[in-house]
Amino acid sequence: MQPNADTLTFTEDGRTALRMQRRLPHPPERIWEALTRPELTARWMPVEVRLDPSPGARAAFRFTDGGHPPARGTVLEAEEPWVLAYTWGSDRLHWSVRPDRAAGAGGPGASLLTLVHTFDDHYGAASFASGWHVCLTALAQLLDGEEPDGAGDRDGALHEAYVELFDLVASTVEEEPAGVTVRFERQLVRPVEMVWAYLTRGTDPLPGQEAPSGFTAIGSPAGPITALDPPRLLEYAWSPLGRVRWRLTEGTGHGARLVLTRSGPAVDEPAVTAVQAAWYQRIGELAGQLLDLPR
């Protein structure tokens, strides 16, 4: 694997592991300081990390913007200046630093920094990846003696690039004697209320009325609304026995989490494939359109 090639895999126990690697023209000792000194972590991460770098010690995370409650964890591994691993809530972060002896890597003091973040929310991976991408960019700026510019991922384009890289829009198919349900889950980059307003075009849907066109796709035409809970849920009948359900939750903090299901009578495999393709296209269109909306 080449450095700077971010990857997403599954662990043996079914969790998701995000691996990110960066070359830094600085010695391991300087990187270790940036990982363990709270006044430095607060400059390149959204939190001030306080910990005693010894296995079993407690770790505390205080968000510098005050927008989230403090969190706690436990130090799992600590080998200065090479390895630091700790839990952050239920997540696990493993940092490792190695001398980077590759040709042209930045001189004899260069290092290879690897982060492996292990978590449960697979469809939130793009949020974690884009967040860490921004943090690691800020870390490089800090080590270079610059003030991190805080550019972040304001429009969500970086997030969407990771969605594509990690193929985080794949669907699942559940087959039952009565029919087939195709399910999509997708993290979006705008909040629930904004996504709802965009889908409804500012109208107020009512039960029994025809669903707004924003909730439809090829093969699932608008039909009467059968369940409604603005701004989080809309279900409509696309046929006498078929239903499409849109559900919006809070997601990772980047924006709304969309869970979309399309159920109907049992059909052959080509028909299921066509349904998957139609909704894959519709959800992709929505995600792209949301990028044009101001946060």
Side-chain angles (χ1 to χ4, degrees), residues 99-208:
D100 189 1
R101 299 186 176 89
S111 301
L112 200 60
L113 172 65
T114 302
L115 165 65
V116 178
H117 179 186
T118 305
F119 49 90
D120 294 316
D121 183 8
H122 181 72
Y123 289 98
S127 297
F128 298 130
S130 57
W132 283 120
H133 184 112
V134 169
C135 289
L136 294 173
T137 299
L139 172 61
Q141 293 171 333
L142 179 66
L143 292 172
D144 287 344
E146 306 171 5
E147 185 62 29
D149 58 27
D153 182 28
R154 292 191 178 96
D155 63 358
L158 180 60
H159 180 281
E160 294 306 289
Y162 275 109
V163 169
E164 182 176 351
L165 176 65
F166 297 148
D167 190 22
L168 293 171
V169 203
S171 61
T172 59
V173 178
E174 298 178 6
E175 297 187 31
E176 301 175 349
V180 175
T181 297
V182 179
R183 181 185 188 276
F184 286 89
E185 184 168 346
R186 174 68 142 85
Q187 178 65 41
L188 302 172
V189 293
R190 295 296 184 268
V192 169
E193 292 77 8
M194 188 176 293
V195 177
W196 183 267
Y198 188 79
L199 289 168
T200 61
R201 300 296 192 267
T203 63
D204 293 320
L206 295 173

Side-chain angles (χ1 to χ4, degrees), residues 4-225:
N4 295 343
D6 303 332
T7 62
L8 200 67
T9 58
F10 288 103
T11 64
E12 291 184 357
D13 58 355
R15 306 189 82 196
T16 298
L18 168 67
R19 184 179 188 272
M20 309 185 78
Q21 193 171 71
R22 299 292 185 269
R23 281 192 162 110
L24 299 169
H26 302 283
E29 292 76 13
R30 285 201 61 201
I31 297 172
W32 178 264
E33 286 189 348
L35 291 173
T36 57
R37 288 175 53 184
E39 70 275 17
L40 294 182
T41 62
R43 294 178 64 188
W44 64 273
M45 296 172 67
V47 295
E48 177 188 81
V49 181
R50 290 188 174 275
L51 54 79
D52 173 13
S54 57
R58 289 186 176 181
F61 308 92
R62 183 182 68 83
F63 285 85
T64 53
D65 64 0
H68 302 276
R72 295 191 176 276
T74 302
V75 177
L76 304 174
E77 299 179 57
E79 182 185 347
E80 185 178 356
W82 310 113
V83 177
L84 178 66
Y86 49 80
T87 59
W88 182 342
S90 62
D91 294 2
R92 183 180 189 273
L93 277 72
H94 185 281
W95 302 90
S96 62
V97 186
R98 291 291 180 268
D100 189 1
R101 299 186 176 89
S111 301
L112 200 60
L113 172 65
T114 302
L115 165 65
V116 178
H117 179 186
T118 305
F119 49 90
D120 294 316
D121 183 8
H122 181 72
Y123 289 98
S127 297
F128 298 130
S130 57
W132 283 120
H133 184 112
V134 169
C135 289
L136 294 173
T137 299
L139 172 61
Q141 293 171 333
L142 179 66
L143 292 172
D144 287 344
E146 306 171 5
E147 185 62 29
D149 58 27
D153 182 28
R154 292 191 178 96
D155 63 358
L158 180 60
H159 180 281
E160 294 306 289
Y162 275 109
V163 169
E164 182 176 351
L165 176 65
F166 297 148
D167 190 22
L168 293 171
V169 203
S171 61
T172 59
V173 178
E174 298 178 6
E175 297 187 31
E176 301 175 349
V180 175
T181 297
V182 179
R183 181 185 188 276
F184 286 89
E185 184 168 346
R186 174 68 142 85
Q187 178 65 41
L188 302 172
V189 293
R190 295 296 184 268
V192 169
E193 292 77 8
M194 188 176 293
V195 177
W196 183 267
Y198 188 79
L199 289 168
T200 61
R201 300 296 192 267
T203 63
D204 293 320
L206 295 173
Q209 289 183 346
E210 186 174 280
S213 61
F215 292 90
T216 66
I218 297 172
S220 298
I225 296 172

